[in-house]
Amino acid sequence: MDTEIKIISRRRKKYVRSTNRDINIVHRNPNPESHPFEQAREYKRALNSVKMDRIFAKPFLTAMTGHIDGIYCLERHPKYLSRVVSASADGEIRVWDLMRRKTVANVQAHNQFIRGITISKPNGNFFFSCSDDQTIKQWRFSDLRSNVNSEYQKKKKPVSTFISEETLRGIDHHWSRHTFVTSGDTVQVWDHKRSKPFQKLTFGTTETSSAIKFSPVQKNVFATAGSDRSVGLYDLKISTPIRKVILKNQTNAISWNPMEAFNFTVANEDQNCYTFDMRRLDRALCIHNGHLNAVMDVDYSPTGREFVTASYDHTIRIFNIRSISSRDVYHTRRMKRVFVAKYSGDSKFIISASDDMNIRLWKSEASKPLLPVDRKEKNAIKYRESLKKRYGYLPEIRRISKHRHLPRVLYFMKQQKKKSLQARARKYRNMKMNNPSSVKQTKMRKRFIVKQLK
């Protein structure tokens, strides 16, 4: 009787890696009939990934103390990721090291409220501060950090002092020239080596400009926010104003997108942020809502894909540039009204300052690990992110990913705001139904704009 013997044989090169750095060889049959439960398994993995993100979401890192009054100005260094400069209402300026989480230098710069602070962009060796005492002071980082025992170091005198004839409300430095601008009754253009402004720009009205910001791409263009609820654009190259738009509420802060040269976002008193294209100011590109009180500050990530906002409602929110609602909301029990929020230079962290005299450090992605991960963990994270993106439209996954716990006061404020918006929409529908001629049809992106001037 003949016996048939079958031998299983395989070549070692087909399933064994030659080195530890080679890609793992995975044998998989792509035929969908061989995997009838593939979609169900992936959905379950996506659901678990979303739940894990909420479980491990711990964005708050630390709170740094030292100021004895509310902090209203904050600026990050253009070169050093860990260096931040802050100014408080009592006239004190502090230089912080985020890695050591402590103050490395401090100086009593002014005797009155400090309204603005900016760092020289070409080299980052100096920073400027402006105050209600109508002075601008130039400081050198090395002078404040030096330990040389001399009278100059003990007194910590500024490098230069510029005296303005007008009240100053904001300051910003040019991105490539030794020039800075200040906002007040007029927009003044200053040079490092001149004691007086060599240019004064205005639209011909008597408004007071509060916020001012240079564009990082179109470096001669800057935007201002006025007390007459206006947002104006200026060009230093031609030394004239470009155009101006008047909104229904006042703007508190302006931030330019570093990757899209013509776009900027404003933080408004009506609890919303508006993204504009400077070439067309008659409508907004996007309306970002979610805050429950006035938005005090806005700052773009260096990637240009997200921005962070600080609000009077004791929270900071992170928005995608194309999204109406916020991606995440950060708050703590002890944090009060937040006046400033900035991204770090590597976009991994967020620095916020509030009037409770604390500077807080947050992760930009709440559930992302800070410690280095190995290659397998990186691949697993990418796989989970792709699953969340693929199944993110499903109700259960969408509900878990968007849900955020709010304090009791903010929760009831949110419900009250929702009822108010519903009542306003119901009134509009009734007016349109009963008397259509009395209702003016206006698009949502144009309703908050009063007029545009050129």
Side-chain angles (χ1 to χ4, degrees), residues 37-80:
F37 301 106
E38 179 183 13
Q39 191 171 6
R41 285 196 302 268
E42 287 187 345
Y43 171 77
K44 188 63 177 179
R45 290 171 182 170
L47 184 62
N48 291 338
S49 299
V50 174
K51 291 180 179 179
M52 288 172 61
D53 284 348
R54 290 295 88 215
I55 291 173
F56 294 107
K58 296 180 180 180
F60 179 69
L61 296 177
T62 186
M64 298 177 288
T65 60
H67 283 287
I68 58 174
D69 208 336
I71 306 168
Y72 298 92
C73 300
L74 189 71
E75 189 73 14
R76 72 169 187 262
H77 199 279
K79 286 188 176 181
Y80 303 105

Side-chain angles (χ1 to χ4, degrees), residues 21 32-33 48 59 74 81 86 100 113 141 143 146 164 178 185 202 220 255 290 316 326 365 382 396:
R21 295 185 178 183
E33 295 180 357
N48 291 338
L74 189 71
L81 297 178
S86 63
R100 293 188 287 170
F113 201 114
F141 279 104
D143 291 346
S146 178
S164 174
H178 295 287
D185 296 337
T202 180
N220 291 316
S255 182
I316 61 176
S326 61
E365 296 183 16
K382 290 181 180 180
E396 190 173 10

